[in-house]
Amino acid sequence: MDGESIISKAGISRIYAYGSTTANHEVKYIATIVYVDQYDEKNDEWGQIDAWVAEDENNYYLSTAKSLKVDRGYYYRAVSYTHLRAHETDQ
């Protein structure tokens, strides 16, 4: 299994966040969860500003992307997680 998260500038006050997952073979269920975080320099911590889930069945690849309006002057990151179910009995 392989996956990636990408974030890029998409214009003034806009970012583009992307997440994808590739399984080694077709699976019963595949999901990618993407979180977009904003960095708070004052408190030295990341805070979530958006999140979403993309799901599919009987596939080996899944990708999802979103364009977001954001405040200028901050750092942003995209983090994605994957959930796979190879068989009906897997949880």
Side-chain angles (χ1 to χ4, degrees):
M1 175 180 70
D2 188 30
E4 68 178 338
S5 304
I6 297 173
I7 191 166
S8 62
K9 186 175 179 179
I12 297 172
S13 297
R14 293 200 79 78
I15 57 172
Y16 176 80
Y18 168 88
S20 71
T21 300
T22 305
N24 295 332
H25 55 83
E26 186 175 288
V27 293
K28 176 68 181 157
Y29 174 82
I30 185 169
T32 298
I33 307 159
V34 180
Y35 298 94
V36 178
D37 300 333
Q38 179 186 66
Y39 184 65
D40 178 358
E41 286 185 286
K42 181 180 176 185
N43 296 314
D44 190 30
E45 62 186 15
W46 291 95
Q48 183 179 315
I49 63 165
D50 200 4
W52 70 94
V53 177
E55 302 171 294
D56 201 1
E57 294 182 351
N58 302 315
N59 210 332
Y60 70 94
Y61 175 77
L62 178 66
S63 67
T64 181
K66 194 174 190 181
S67 176
L68 302 167
K69 184 168 175 42
V70 295
D71 296 328
R72 296 178 73 175
Y74 292 91
Y75 293 102
Y76 296 90
R77 72 179 180 187
V79 179
S80 64
Y81 295 95
T82 299
H83 180 73
L84 301 174
R85 188 177 318 135
H87 305 286
E88 202 58 50
T89 57
D90 292 346
Q91 294 296 320

